[in-house]
Amino acid sequence: MPSRGRRPLVRPELTRRRFLGATAAAAFLAACSRGGGSDSASPSPPPRLENDPFTLGVASGDPSSDSVVLWTRLAPVPIEGGGMPAEDVEVGWEIATDDAMGDIAASGVALAVPELGHSLHVDAGGLDPDRPYWYRFFTGDWETPVARTRTMPAPDASPEHLRFGHVSCQNYDAAFYAAYADLAAHGPDLIVHCGDYIYERPSTEAGEGFEELVVRDDPVPEAFDLGAYRNRYALYKGDSNLQAAHAVAPWLVTWDDHEVENNYTADSPEADSETADRESFLERRAAAYQAWWEHIPVRMEAPDGPDLAIYRRASFGDLVRFLVLDTRQYRTPQECGNPDAPIGDVGPRCDAAFAPETTVLGVDQEAWVADELGGSSAVWNVLAQQIVVQQWRFAPGNAAWNLDQWDGYPAARDRLLSTLADSDATNPVVLTGDVHSSWVGGLTEDFDDPDAVALGTEFVAPGISSDNGAVNIAVDVVPGNSPHVAWAEAMHRGWVLHDVNRDAWNTEYRFVDDATVEDSSVSTGSTWTLPTGHGAVPTRT
Ligand code: FE
Ligand code: CA
């Protein structure tokens, strides 16, 4: 363990810190007293931590051109409640321009409080745009390894190039995270996570047939309350490959259903939920959202209750504008569902699916998307979201639609596609997760018309580890009925590398060769290039 030496914890002239959440005032006072400022608030001596509290690694996220959120959580006994005393603990942090941590750009002391699971979200500000930084946390005798992050270019800059990872669906017991080892080795500028960061229960509790898919042990029972959701995050975040991917680049994260419960919409649980009534489901959602906030490097206040607005924009200069969407929290309940269908979620659309008031994004988020696209001068306009937008036609007529996807909400999808068609935003690209399989396709205003002009492109990421299950059937039948689908593959777990410049968007699907082994090789599944310009469709290279 390297010594902290005599370097002061805080160098006030270089430090511009802003703490998030309810701890801001206390943390500020603590930091001042450490930094030689006011002595009026003398914190009590920290509890002595006998064991390494940094078992969950570190992370960074929501980078802007002058700041990035640095994350960690103290949890010496990760999957059994964290193991921390019920006390506030001061944690030092520093961010430097070099990986030897010699040139500190900002530093401070943050307060980890039991109410927030001893998690930390430090908004490290005053940074220079468009460059890498390195950071670490320390408390008592313990410190984290040094991790890499990065700032975005200035909003009015015109960067030439962005290289980022696109991931989703990391069911812990369904496979090892070899995909994350490969992603970390690629050292991208940014990682976009489209949801299903955790699953709310182990596969052994997910119903018949799922046990057979278990590749590694998940000893943490289904989560219904805050403590149990924390334990599930702690299980996942204990994985060294996931930690390596967090330690290499900042992340931009949204959630899908499994961060709360399979296929939930707004205040409606899944069909056979143990939290079936609205009140108990919303209590569960509040716990799940708080645990998500506690474990994800996001720049937002901690939730207080069952609501948490997470849709937001991130810009990589004028090259890419990311709109990070939430397709779960505001969605109209699925009224056409058929829990007895042989393929889960698939069935005919009922009249309710066509009602104009049905929504996936909710009224406010839908208006926000239109505003953001209308006001964008970015070369590429990305919707980073969860569920498949392109139509999956299983059969002629109305027999079979995946009702949990945008296919279950045709009126809402028509509005989204008209927004894309009417907007001046150039080169829309949708990034999707959820379905544990790889899809490349065009977005058109009439998916059944082979001559329809593409308004945009959708890349669907395979699961990092989640099994593909019934999706194999979709891959067998959907492309033949769907002229806009360029490619579909459901046999591999993996991730997607997008290499974006001002003339073209180049994509490589990275496939795990054997998801049942931790150090599996990972190889190229397919590569694509998408030129800029209206009506452009990706070409396989
Ligand atoms: Fe999933
Ligand atoms: Ca999902």
Side-chain angles (χ1 to χ4, degrees):
M1 175 112 355
S3 151
R4 300 244 56 74
R6 278 181 294 280
R7 189 187 309 130
L9 281 176
V10 177
R11 291 197 285 170
E13 76 283 5
L14 290 180
T15 303
R16 196 192 81 192
R17 63 188 95 67
R18 188 152 60 87
F19 296 100
L20 303 175
T23 64
F28 180 70
L29 288 173
C32 285
S33 71
R34 276 291 187 94
S38 165
D39 278 329
S40 59
S42 298
S44 50
R48 195 176 154 69
L49 301 173
E50 297 295 335
N51 295 301
D52 183 3
F54 296 116
T55 59
L56 307 182
V58 298
S60 67
D62 281 354
S64 70
S65 58
D66 66 357
S67 67
V68 62
V69 174
L70 308 179
W71 174 93
T72 192
R73 181 186 160 214
L74 309 180
V77 190
I79 65 172
E80 292 159 41
M84 287 293 291
E87 288 174 52
D88 298 353
V89 177
E90 291 182 346
V91 179
W93 60 271
E94 53 194 13
I95 185 165
T97 59
D98 61 321
D99 61 359
M101 302 300 289
D103 178 25
I104 302 293
S107 63
V109 177
L111 206 57
V113 302
E115 295 75 17
L116 298 174
H118 292 99
S119 64
L120 290 164
H121 295 71
V122 171
D123 195 348
L127 306 179
D128 292 330
D130 199 16
R131 57 152 299 144
Y133 281 92
W134 287 264
Y135 64 98
R136 65 180 164 196
F137 292 91
F138 43 89
T139 190
D141 296 334
W142 306 100
E143 71 177 30
T144 67
V146 174
R148 181 186 179 279
T149 187
R150 183 189 209 293
T151 49
M152 300 294 226
D156 59 355
S158 295
E160 291 295 325
H161 187 217
L162 167 67
R163 192 163 156 273
F164 73 98
H166 163 200
V167 301
S168 72
C169 293
Q170 54 195 52
N171 194 356
Y172 182 87
D173 63 26
F176 288 100
Y177 289 166
Y180 273 135
D182 185 60
L183 172 49
H186 276 73
D189 298 315
L190 184 72
I191 296 174
V192 176
H193 197 298
C194 291
D196 287 356
Y197 190 100
I198 62 158
Y199 285 66
E200 74 278 22
R201 57 194 166 217
S203 296
T204 48
E205 294 181 32
E208 224 174 304
F210 285 94
E211 307 87 334
E212 307 156 20
L213 304 170
V214 170
V215 166
R216 59 173 164 170
D217 188 37
D218 175 345
V220 181
E222 179 164 5
F224 297 100
D225 61 21
L226 178 58
Y229 278 107
R230 282 175 177 160
N231 289 342
R232 294 209 55 75
Y233 278 97
L235 173 75
Y236 281 59
K237 294 195 74 87
D239 184 280
S240 59
N241 288 332
L242 175 58
Q243 290 187 10
H246 275 296
V248 81
W251 286 39
L252 204 52
V253 183
T254 185
W255 57 34
D256 193 20
D257 51 342
H258 287 287
E259 284 85 349
V260 181
E261 184 182 46
N262 180 47
N263 282 6
Y264 89 92
T265 59
D267 56 1
S268 297
E270 72 173 324
D272 55 353
S273 176
E274 290 183 45
T275 43
D277 65 283
R278 183 173 183 275
E279 198 185 336
S280 61
F281 180 71
L282 283 180
E283 262 174 50
R284 182 182 190 178
R285 196 178 91 175
Y289 283 6
Q290 180 169 334
W292 179 86
W293 181 90
E294 287 175 357
H295 291 86
I296 303 294
V298 283
R299 181 181 287 105
M300 60 190 68
E301 298 283 319
D304 178 17
D307 305 317
L308 181 60
I310 69 165
Y311 59 87
R312 60 204 190 276
R313 176 217 302 164
S315 296
F316 194 83
D318 74 352
L319 181 62
V320 183
R321 171 171 289 196
F322 291 95
L323 302 183
V324 180
L325 306 187
D326 176 356
T327 62
R328 287 287 164 190
Q329 188 174 187
Y330 313 106
R331 199 202 284 208
T332 324
Q334 182 48 257
E335 290 184 40
C336 318
N338 173 14
D340 301 323
I343 310 172
D345 320 335
V346 174
R349 289 169 179 154
C350 58
D351 289 347
F354 298 95
E357 65 273 18
T358 57
T359 177
V360 168
L361 299 176
V363 173
D364 292 349
Q365 186 178 195
E366 219 174 271
W368 174 81
V369 168
D371 272 3
E372 289 287 327
L373 290 175
S376 174
S377 51
V379 177
W380 301 95
N381 287 281
V382 173
L383 304 182
Q385 54 97 58
Q386 300 76 25
I387 52 173
V388 174
V389 177
Q390 62 197 283
Q391 177 176 284
W392 280 11
R393 180 174 280 293
F394 286 87
N398 186 36
W401 302 103
N402 186 325
L403 299 168
D404 189 56
Q405 297 177 11
W406 283 85
D407 266 342
Y409 298 82
R413 180 171 59 197
D414 284 351
R415 291 197 302 277
L416 178 71
L417 294 171
S418 332
T419 300
L420 291 182
D422 297 345
S423 152
D424 293 332
T426 52
N427 305 306
V429 173
V430 176
L431 305 179
T432 299
D434 183 51
V435 290
H436 313 169
S437 51
S438 302
W439 298 74
V440 175
L443 302 176
T444 71
E445 286 191 283
D446 181 354
F447 289 104
D448 290 319
D449 175 3
D451 299 321
V453 175
L455 303 166
T457 299
E458 181 174 32
F459 294 102
V460 182
I464 282 285
S465 60
S466 300
D467 59 277
N468 46 48
V471 177
N472 280 321
I473 301 164
V475 164
D476 289 343
V477 302
V478 167
N481 299 325
S482 308
H484 54 278
V485 172
W487 180 66
E489 209 278 358
M491 297 305 290
H492 289 89
R493 282 66 172 247
W495 65 283
V496 191
L497 176 65
H498 299 290
D499 195 306
V500 183
N501 61 48
R502 302 185 79 82
D503 309 312
W505 177 295
N506 299 300
T507 292
E508 177 178 356
Y509 278 77
R510 298 286 301 165
F511 280 171
V512 175
D513 294 317
D514 182 353
T516 66
V517 296
E518 190 160 10
D519 59 350
S520 170
S521 53
V522 179
S523 44
T524 302
S526 72
T527 56
W528 300 84
T529 188
L530 171 68
T532 52
H534 181 70
V537 289
T539 312
R540 193 161 176 173
T541 53

